[in-house]
Amino acid sequence: MQEISFAVNGGYVELNQLLKLVGLCDSGGAGKVIVASGDVTVDGKQELRKTAKIRPGQEVCLGDIKIRVTAE
């Protein structure tokens, strides 16, 4: 499993933007499509809210990629 660490500036990042910022998709719109597909989990639970607020300490998974969100 590939692990990516992402530092949040400002308290939170929207889920679709997080997927774009770590390079898993080309745009926020593409990120929304990925989230809507049901393939994304946050802290082990399926997340379908495209703009869910992801805060430091949370873990986002897409397939075999794990994103650990930290505070900047």
Side-chain angles (χ1 to χ4, degrees):
M1 178 171 274
Q2 178 184 355
E3 289 196 25
I4 301 170
S5 184
F6 182 80
V8 173
N9 179 13
Y12 71 90
V13 62
E14 292 181 351
L15 181 53
N16 65 312
Q17 292 297 318
L18 174 64
L19 297 177
K20 178 182 86 167
L21 293 170
V22 298
L24 296 179
C25 59
D26 294 330
S27 67
K32 287 181 179 183
V33 171
I34 293 170
V35 175
S37 73
D39 293 334
V40 178
T41 62
V42 176
D43 295 335
K45 296 180 182 175
Q46 183 182 46
E47 182 59 76
L48 296 172
R49 296 173 298 157
K50 301 168 187 86
T51 58
K53 293 178 180 177
I54 307 301
R55 301 181 190 282
Q58 290 189 294
E59 188 173 272
V60 176
C61 294
L62 174 61
D64 64 346
I65 299 170
K66 182 185 295 183
I67 306 164
R68 292 189 186 274
V69 181
T70 60
E72 190 170 64

